[in-house]
């Protein structure tokens, strides 16, 4: 039993960002084991570019450079963007994404703490509307590393060695009249639960996210509400029309689901801080993800869902202010 | 410089730079954003707007003592709509392919608020020659911004410049930059691209104005030198 007074450990941006980077490492290690070292080159390129763009824009805006680039926030954005993109996208696409994320979505809006939208998701959305083909070619565990390097370097090559994500594959097939059960397990895209290889990286995201939750870096209700809502919705849809909708485990263990649940919607700047509002924010994001995945045009709905909820965040916060002790009920 | 020249000069500076309809007044953004996917589209719609604005402003200034004040807006709109119909038919006849591309945005010049704004704010109160000059300068202010947005979006979005020029001068063709294999950054061609490019241009305009102001202030403080001449658009 510890008695008061307590001494609180100082919480700094650098510390929080450092923990987030650490929590991403299991997923990165598994990614390298399954798909080879191309991801490391992407991470290196994105990290260097992110710090360079951040430093350049801070210098242009006459803001302190060193304290802002040593807070690791640019690295978190860079790593999240790289992990959201297929590891085999050409280098210039990653670079362009970093310029949009750090340059436009973060610094032009006023730098850390000022951005209304999640920078990594802004960049992802800009890239997916502009380069849909590049962003729907995900490497498979069987994709040769040499091909992945060629793709990263942007040399023209056949694109038969990579494929769409599980959800994208399923949706395309359902749209062309095939049943889900005909597809599950019959294509190299599928693993045990969801995408081959990617399902285990999703588990690593889950593990890293639980670490962040235990350390008190992220509130547990955000990923919980997100996964719960997505799970309930996909279960209901699957029970009603099993031939049209993917089973819930495919949704929940999809790579982008776990990344979003623990690392994207938990962004405190573009998200919601009121406790009740966080339930609304996460559940709303999950609902939009489900709708966009099934009825949308693009391979995955996470980026658009998060951006739409970012737009709604100030309003959600306004409507969910906690009652101050002693204040009357409205 | 006599009084007439000074007024003409001021009208020019205001239309092209200080009160630029696209960058400062933010009027007529619907065509600015919708049609500026290429240089040729942007400039053609801009020039059509200039023609309408000039004739409408001059006509309203001539008739300004005849038009009853209470019903002036319907009368202005009638004059503008008549002129737009003429421009619409002419474009359909002489530049048919271009007309098909611009589509609804040619008839929509009627509702372009910059046209009515200049008529109501300036032409209805001033001499016809000034009204015509004001409309021309405001229109050209819109055209150069439209041209710049169109060129930027076209270069970034599809890697060409002057695409569609063959609709106007059949022997000319578009310039392809960065080689045949390059693909453009599609975002620039999509609606958000228009807002983003316009945002950057407005920011650049603000930065230039701020820089100019700071420089003028510094000079005035250093010595009682005359105010710095306007660097852009001032040579009227």
């Amino acid at each position: 039993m510890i008695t008061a007074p307590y001494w609180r450990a100082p919480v700094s941006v650098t510390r929080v960002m450092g923990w987030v980077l650490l929590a991403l490492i299991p997923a990165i290690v598994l990614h390298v084991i399954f798909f080879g070292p191309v991801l490391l080159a992407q991470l290196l390129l994105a990290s260097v570019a992110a710090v360079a763009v951040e430093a350049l824009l801070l210098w242009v805006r006459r803001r302190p450079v060193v304290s802002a680039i040593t807070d690791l926030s640019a690295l978190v954005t860079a790593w999240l963007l790289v992990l959201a993109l297929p590891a085999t996208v050409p280098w210039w696409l990653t670079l362009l994404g970093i310029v949009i994320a750090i340059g436009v979505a973060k610094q032009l809006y006023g730098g850390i703490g000022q951005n209304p939208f999640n920078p990594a998701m802004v960049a992802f959305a800009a890239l997916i509307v502009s380069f849909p083909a590049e962003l729907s070619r995900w490497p498979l565990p069987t994709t040769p590393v040499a091909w992945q390097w060629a793709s990263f370097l942007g040399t023209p090559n056949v694109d038969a060695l990579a494929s769409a994500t599980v959800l994208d594959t399923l949706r395309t097939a359902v749209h062309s009249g095939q049943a889900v059960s005909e597809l599950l397990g019959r294509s190299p895209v599928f693993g045990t639960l969801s995408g081959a290889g990617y399902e285990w990286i999703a588990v690593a995201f889950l593990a890293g996210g639980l670490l962040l939750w235990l350390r008190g870096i992220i509130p547990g209700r955000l990923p919980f509400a997100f996964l719960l809502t997505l799970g309930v919705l996909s279960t209901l849809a699957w029970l009603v029309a099993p031939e049209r909708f993917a089973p819930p485990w495919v949704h929940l263990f999809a790579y982008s689901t776990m990344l979003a649940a623990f690392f994207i919607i938990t962004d405190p700047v573009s998200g919601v801080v009121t406790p009740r509002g966080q339930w609304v924010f996460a559940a709303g994001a999950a609902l939009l993800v489900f709708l966009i995945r099934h009825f949308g045009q693009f391979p995955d709905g996470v980026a658009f869902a998060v951006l739409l909820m970012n737009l709604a965040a100030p309003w959600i916060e306004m409507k969910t202010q906690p009652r101050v002790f002693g204040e009357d009920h409205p | 410089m006599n009084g007439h020249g000074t007024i003409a000069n001021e009208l020019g500076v205001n239309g092209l730079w200080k009160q630029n309809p696209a960058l400062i007044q933010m009027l007529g953004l619907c065509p600015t954003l919708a049609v500026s996917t290429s240089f040729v589209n942007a400039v053609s719609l801009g020039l059509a707007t200039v023609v309408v604005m000039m004739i409408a402003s001059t006509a309203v200034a001539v008739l300004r003592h005849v038009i009853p004040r209470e019903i002036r807006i319907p009368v202005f709109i009638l004059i503008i709509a008549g002129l737009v119909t003429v421009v619409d038919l002419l474009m359909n006849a002489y530049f048919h392919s271009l007309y098909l591309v611009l589509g609804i945005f040619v008839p929509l010049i009627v509702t372009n608020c910059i046209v009515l704004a200049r008529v109501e704010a300036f032409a209805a109160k001033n001499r016809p020659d000034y009204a015509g000059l004001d409309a021309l300068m405001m229109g050209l202010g819109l055209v150069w911004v439209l041209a710049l947005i169109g060129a930027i979006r076209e270069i970034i979005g599809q890697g060409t410049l002057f695409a569609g020029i063959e609709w106007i001068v059949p022997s000319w063709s578009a310039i392809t930059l960065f080689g045949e294999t390059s693909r453009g950054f599609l975002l620039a061609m999509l609606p958000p691209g228009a807002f983003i490019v316009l945002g950057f241009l407005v920011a650049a305009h603000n930065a230039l104005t701020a820089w100019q102001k700071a420089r003028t202030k510094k000079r005035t403080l250093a010595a009682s030198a005359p105010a710095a001449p306007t660097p852009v658009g001032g040579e009227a």
Side-chain angles (χ1 to χ4, degrees), chain B residues 101-208:
Chain B
V101 172
L102 294 180
I104 188 67
F105 291 101
V106 179
L108 275 182
I109 294 173
V110 178
T111 56
N112 190 332
C113 39
I114 188 65
V115 182
L116 187 65
R118 291 332 290 172
V119 164
E120 163 73 5
F122 195 90
K125 299 164 193 162
N126 287 285
R127 280 165 42 178
D129 51 347
Y130 290 156
L133 186 65
D134 172 74
L136 175 70
M137 287 306 169
M138 283 288 166
L140 290 181
L142 183 71
V143 169
W144 79 257
V145 176
L146 268 173
L148 198 56
I149 298 178
I152 293 172
R153 288 180 72 189
E154 190 179 345
I155 291 171
I156 299 176
Q158 59 181 37
T160 63
L161 193 56
F162 310 127
I165 192 82
E166 67 275 7
W167 297 326
I168 298 165
V169 186
S171 57
W172 294 4
S173 60
I175 305 165
T176 307
L177 303 116
F178 338 112
E180 295 291 335
T181 51
S182 78
R183 283 151 309 158
F185 185 27
L186 193 62
L187 183 69
M189 297 295 273
L190 297 171
F195 285 98
I196 294 168
V197 173
L198 179 69
F200 275 108
L201 290 184
V202 172
H205 187 280
N206 289 348
L208 263 176

Side-chain angles (χ1 to χ4, degrees), chain A residues 60-131:
Chain A
V60 169
R61 295 176 57 221
R62 298 195 181 91
R63 295 293 154 102
V65 174
V66 177
S67 65
I69 57 174
T70 50
D71 69 8
L72 303 179
S73 66
L75 286 188
V76 168
T77 302
W79 286 26
L80 288 177
L81 176 64
V82 165
L83 287 168
L85 296 170
T88 50
V89 293
W91 61 271
W92 51 266
L93 207 146
T94 307
L95 209 57
L96 181 62
I98 291 296
V99 171
I100 297 171
I102 304 288
V104 178
K106 187 178 177 191
Q107 288 297 332
L108 286 192
Y109 280 98
I112 185 165
Q114 305 290 328
N115 47 300
F117 300 103
N118 186 312
M121 291 298 103
V122 171
F124 185 89
L127 293 178
I128 205 166
V129 297
S130 302
F131 306 99

Side-chain angles (χ1 to χ4, degrees), chain A residues 202-220:
Chain A
V203 174
F205 283 139
L206 172 67
L210 289 177
L211 171 74
L212 290 183
W213 173 55
L214 290 176
R215 296 294 312 178
I217 309 276
I218 59 170

Side-chain angles (χ1 to χ4, degrees), chain A residues 308-324:
Chain A
L308 285 169
M309 291 314 288
N310 285 165
L311 265 179
W315 182 78
I316 296 174
E317 281 184 342
M318 205 170 73
K319 293 287 175 192
T320 54
Q321 287 296 321
R323 191 172 65 92
V324 177

